[in-house]
Amino acid sequence: MSAPNARYVVGIDLGTSNSALAYAPMPGDGSALELPKVELLKVDQVAAPGSVEARELLPSVLYVRGEAELPEGALQLPWRADPGYCVGAFAREQGARIASRMIHSAKSWLSHSGVDRQARFLPFQSREEDAKRSPVEVSTALLEHFRAAWNHRMAQGDASTDLAEQDIVLCVPASFDAAARSLTMEAATAAGLRHVSLLEEPQAAFHSWIERAGEDWRKRVRVGDIVLVVDVGGGTTDFSLIAVSDAGGELELRRLAVGEHILLGGDNMDLALAYGVAANLEAERGRKLDPAQMAALVQQCRQGKEALLADPSLAAHPIAILGKGSSVVGGTIRTELRREGLEQMLVDGFFPRCALGDRPARAARAGFREAGLPYASDPAVTLHLARFLGQQHEAARELFPGLADKGALLPTAILFNGGVFKAQPLQQRVLEVVASWCQGVGQEPPRVLEGAELDLAVSRGAAYLGLAKRGKGVRIRGGSPRAYYIGIESAAPAVPGMKAPLKAMCVVPYGMEEGTSATIDGREADLCVWTGEPAAFRFLSSTTRRHDAPGSLTDVDAEQFEEHQAIETTLPAKGGEPRPAEVDLRAELTEIGVLNLSCVERGDDHEYRLEFNVRHREG
């Protein structure tokens, strides 16, 4: 929903590791030809006890102060007294010392359907109950901080310039499902942001590249290009394909495909580095770290990784781990994270050379599994990329007839995004691997779209899209990045030990445009619910099925479908007596990028909203 009197368009990157905000003045009535300039907001944040600094990046970390840990007023900000917690730079620094009171990677938990994302369980496995927050609450706290920092610098008492009154484009991973997008909007609403739309992060990165290239972007891509956006952030790896085509003599951009939700990114790399440092400590000094020290080491490795990637002249980053007494470690342990070890671990461990036909390993699952984030079982980004490109082969064959002999939809250009790619060896390895795939099928190696801002592209691109919506820039078309389905059990005779086969009825086709809706006649699947009782529906999606129309039924193939938490509603019992009611389904993809599903009782025409059961735990 657009803000009628907005003075700015604002782009927010609510990242796993770092967040950022960019903005541009609202374009006028169309008389001005010049594109308004996108700027970055320097965000005031606690940098040290009693000290506030303005920085371009806001670390996506919340820290809750312990009793008598810091002096009163240490976490005070220009717009509020010390609340006992902080987000940003000092939260990350203090959390590296006392990890049990620090919450990071809340965004990764926001997409995890196996937990109650509105419950207070973070920091995960911490015993500090007073520090606990929910993933939604942490996301809200970060957005509240952005609003307060914006109002302090930009509004200064002018209500019309309050962030709540501006047009905001908030970015989410392309692989976020409908429930995760809905929870993100819930956090934005709780932070008082009223005019918000959602945008996929890889699209935002590409929009940023266009903004930085200016009119020259039309000379740097050509009709027939397939641009691969490789976005490796703090918590997720996202792949997107964007096609460049001709539309009446003008270049048109369309998002062809997005990858599945892969929890693989900087968090995994920090863990790997920490385990490497811990193993060296034990081998060289005979010092074994306890769980609290290990948690602190992970955060220090995160800081060391970011410092080494940001400054190529550094050979090493110091690490100091507090001791826990003479029985474990007598005194502070000092070591360092060295560049050569970091680059070897990241390049060979996370970006190994592989063939186009290789696939990620599927780890065998034990009967019991420790609770936690469902990280990807295989840490090789290149293997996940091979799988993604292979999956898109069939989906895009009709658009590109020459695909038949290639076995994958291979890119002609690559755009990198995410702070991980500050390490040039990682970019070079991805290019090397993809070039080898292209060579194998007689295709030219992809070129790199230079000029991307790896940390800031998403926020800048989101602000640029706000301008593009008003005719001041170029938009990528795409619609829904997934097709969505209701699960329906097949009508089959009962067989001992076997469940009835599951079929999927399409409710949202792939590419359904924002601001459109579809109604599915429930008679085709004999949809019936009992009034007065909760009606739950299994909910699935696919990123590869392109041609299923609303209402069509198909068998569920585990390779093509992903099941999410259930959706449910309750139709009121008229006259107080439960009864069966025949229903149709209505799906709407709103202009802000949120999916709404409703049951419509036949003959009544009243819509009953289907809610995502975000408290559901998968078995």
Side-chain angles (χ1 to χ4, degrees):
M1 184 188 301
S2 296
N5 300 310
R7 295 173 58 183
Y8 295 92
V9 290
V10 176
I12 297 179
D13 174 15
L14 192 63
T16 305
S17 297
N18 292 291
S19 298
L21 184 152
Y23 64 96
M26 187 67 70
D29 58 7
S31 58
L33 297 178
E34 186 175 351
L35 186 72
K37 186 178 180 182
V38 175
E39 305 277 2
L40 285 161
L41 178 74
K42 290 194 172 182
V43 183
D44 291 296
Q45 56 197 283
V46 177
S51 174
V52 174
E53 294 181 10
R55 301 183 181 181
E56 288 183 337
L57 292 174
L58 178 73
S60 305
V61 177
L62 184 145
Y63 185 83
V64 181
R65 178 181 58 200
E67 186 177 353
E69 177 191 334
L70 297 167
E72 196 64 33
L75 306 182
Q76 182 170 329
L77 287 161
W79 53 83
R80 72 175 184 199
D82 185 344
Y85 71 91
C86 67
V87 299
F90 182 65
R92 181 172 60 183
E93 180 181 324
Q94 188 71 353
R97 292 189 284 264
I98 309 175
S100 61
R101 304 193 68 82
M102 177 196 69
I103 302 172
H104 67 94
S105 303
K107 180 177 174 181
S108 295
W109 288 99
L110 201 64
S111 64
H112 183 12
S113 61
V115 298
D116 180 355
R117 288 159 281 180
Q118 293 168 326
R120 292 187 161 191
F121 63 87
L122 298 176
F124 190 62
Q125 294 184 331
S126 170
R127 296 181 180 180
E128 308 285 349
E129 292 300 322
D130 64 307
K132 298 285 190 179
R133 302 289 188 276
S134 75
V136 174
E137 285 177 311
V138 177
S139 301
T140 299
L142 291 165
L143 291 171
E144 286 176 336
H145 188 96
F146 271 131
R147 181 181 176 187
W150 167 279
N151 291 345
H152 174 68
R153 285 193 168 263
M154 302 290 291
Q156 298 181 343
D158 180 358
S160 69
T161 316
D162 189 304
L163 188 61
E165 302 305 321
Q166 312 314 311
D167 262 1
I168 298 170
V169 180
L170 178 59
C171 294
V172 295
S175 54
F176 257 24
D177 67 13
R181 289 170 182 247
S182 180
L183 289 167
T184 302
M185 287 298 297
E186 182 180 318
T189 300
L193 305 182
R194 297 164 46 194
H195 309 286
V196 179
S197 60
L198 300 180
L199 175 66
E200 298 163 22
E201 290 165 2
Q203 282 198 50
F206 195 86
H207 278 117
S208 177
W209 176 81
I210 293 173
E211 186 254 338
R212 286 177 63 82
E215 283 302 311
D216 192 45
W217 79 269
R218 301 177 189 275
K219 303 175 184 177
R220 297 167 66 181
V221 295
R222 51 184 178 264
V223 173
D225 267 340
I226 303 296
V227 180
L228 168 66
V229 183
V230 183
D231 184 353
V232 183
T236 57
T237 289
D238 264 355
F239 304 124
S240 289
L241 289 172
I242 297 170
V244 183
S245 58
D246 182 290
E250 290 290 328
L251 292 181
E252 181 179 74
L253 302 170
R254 177 167 289 276
R255 190 252 292 112
L256 286 180
V258 301
E260 298 172 348
H261 192 64
I262 307 172
L263 274 182
L264 173 61
D267 286 353
N268 306 68
M269 298 174 188
D270 301 334
L271 284 168
L273 293 170
Y275 282 127
V277 171
N280 289 339
L281 284 172
E282 186 171 2
E284 296 172 3
R285 309 183 195 180
R287 296 189 168 187
K288 187 175 179 63
L289 304 182
D290 68 13
Q293 290 173 315
M294 193 66 196
L297 176 59
V298 171
Q299 300 312 314
Q300 293 209 30
C301 284
R302 181 195 304 271
Q303 291 180 335
K305 177 196 71 179
E306 293 181 355
L308 292 169
L309 295 184
D311 186 353
S313 67
L314 293 177
H317 180 83
I319 288 176
I321 308 162
L322 296 178
K324 290 290 185 180
S326 58
S327 63
V328 181
V329 179
T332 299
I333 306 169
R334 299 189 184 278
T335 184
E336 59 185 11
L337 181 64
R338 300 198 60 80
R339 177 175 296 280
E340 61 267 26
L342 177 141
E343 291 189 348
Q344 182 180 2
M345 169 71 76
L346 299 191
V347 173
D348 295 330
F350 289 88
F351 296 87
R353 295 181 179 88
C354 63
L356 182 56
D358 292 342
R359 294 293 181 263
R362 290 185 177 272
R365 297 296 189 192
F368 293 96
R369 181 184 176 200
E370 184 180 19
L373 285 170
Y375 289 115
S377 58
D378 194 319
V381 174
T382 42
L383 286 172
H384 290 284
L385 178 57
R387 182 171 185 262
F388 167 68
L389 295 175
Q391 286 176 321
Q392 305 314 316
H393 174 243
E394 293 298 329
R397 185 193 294 266
E398 65 191 55
L399 296 175
F400 305 96
L403 288 177
D405 300 327
K406 295 183 179 181
L409 181 55
L410 294 173
T412 59
I414 296 179
L415 178 69
F416 291 103
N417 190 53
V420 164
F421 286 117
K422 286 180 179 178
Q424 283 297 316
L426 301 187
Q427 291 194 27
Q428 291 303 316
R429 175 56 65 85
V430 172
L431 284 170
E432 173 192 334
V433 170
V434 178
S436 71
W437 298 343
C438 291
Q439 183 180 16
V441 296
Q443 180 174 316
E444 290 292 317
R447 61 193 187 279
V448 177
L449 299 184
E450 304 282 0
E453 291 181 290
L454 297 170
D455 277 333
L456 303 169
V458 170
S459 60
R460 293 184 66 98
Y464 174 86
L465 177 66
L467 297 173
K469 286 181 176 179
R470 291 159 183 80
K472 294 296 182 179
V474 181
R475 292 184 64 179
I476 300 170
R477 305 291 177 178
S480 174
R482 296 168 178 252
Y484 287 99
Y485 303 80
I486 295 292
I488 298 175
E489 289 188 0
S490 301
V495 177
M498 292 185 62
K499 293 183 179 179
L502 184 68
K503 288 187 176 291
M505 184 175 72
C506 181
V507 291
V508 174
Y510 181 92
M512 180 174 171
E513 294 289 345
E514 289 86 353
T516 61
S517 62
T519 300
I520 297 92
D521 189 338
R523 283 173 290 198
E524 295 182 16
D526 195 24
L527 287 180
C528 180
V529 301
W530 280 86
T531 61
E533 298 178 0
F537 298 85
R538 294 175 70 174
F539 192 53
L540 307 96
S541 72
S542 173
T543 60
T544 58
R545 297 188 65 89
R546 306 298 176 88
H547 306 298
D548 294 335
S552 62
L553 285 170
T554 185
D555 293 328
V556 173
D557 177 353
E559 286 296 312
Q560 290 189 308
F561 288 88
E562 177 183 358
E563 184 162 3
H564 309 286
Q565 62 269 43
I567 50 176
E568 55 188 34
T569 191
T570 301
L571 273 65
K574 297 175 182 177
E577 290 294 328
R579 60 179 177 81
E582 296 179 328
V583 296
D584 297 329
L585 290 175
R586 177 179 170 82
E588 178 192 17
L589 189 61
T590 69
E591 291 187 356
I592 65 174
V594 172
L595 174 62
N596 290 332
L597 293 169
S598 303
C599 273
V600 184
E601 186 175 358
R602 209 166 298 138
D604 186 334
D605 289 336
H606 190 82
E607 294 190 6
Y608 300 93
R609 179 78 174 269
L610 284 159
E611 302 288 349
F612 294 105
N613 184 359
V614 296
R615 299 186 185 279
H616 171 67
R617 289 179 179 269
E618 295 180 350

